[in-house]
Amino acid sequence: MAFRVMLRMEIKPGSEEAFEQEWRKGTDAVTGHPANLGQWLAKDSAEPGTYWITSDWLDEPRFRAFENSATHLEHRAKLHPFRSGGSFHTMEIVGHITGQAAGDRG
């Protein structure tokens, strides 16, 4: 169905707003890639200063090609100064069920 990448980022205290702004400025580096299905930024509600960046891709080989591209490396370099730690997770989407409320959001 799709390939999902989840990046957990721990942001240096006091730089959360600047991180969010930089992330928004650079989203085209990801969403502008022809294999990208979308990208989300979420702020963890239980861990202050922790964010989750989720992006969906047509498949893993095309994500890996993007991951090694100059465009991605430049985008990543702009976010790196805000980061104090984190982790990287990849997964295959094997199922999806749309909830009733999704049809009401138009």
Side-chain angles (χ1 to χ4, degrees):
M1 293 180 72
F3 184 72
R4 177 164 289 169
V5 176
M6 293 183 71
L7 176 61
R8 181 181 180 273
M9 290 188 70
E10 297 164 17
I11 303 303
K12 295 175 184 173
S15 63
E16 294 89 353
E17 186 175 325
F19 164 73
E20 289 182 27
Q21 290 174 3
E22 187 62 47
W23 180 83
R24 283 184 186 87
K25 285 189 336 190
T27 55
D28 191 53
V30 178
T31 57
H33 190 280
N36 182 263
L37 296 168
Q39 179 177 226
W40 299 263
L41 177 65
K43 189 173 186 177
D44 197 298
S45 58
E47 294 181 47
T50 299
Y51 289 81
W52 293 87
I53 299 173
T54 305
S55 60
D56 287 350
W57 299 83
L58 291 174
D59 55 39
E60 184 174 4
R62 285 183 267 196
F63 164 73
R64 297 297 179 188
F66 163 78
E67 184 180 35
N68 295 315
S69 70
T71 301
H72 171 67
L73 296 175
E74 181 180 323
H75 174 60
R76 190 174 73 186
K78 290 178 181 176
L79 296 178
H80 186 74
F82 300 102
R83 185 177 178 173
S84 64
S87 58
F88 180 78
H89 310 271
T90 60
M91 57 205 74
E92 293 285 335
I93 304 296
V94 297
H96 171 78
I97 301 170
T98 302
Q100 182 175 351
D104 297 338
R105 297 177 68 153

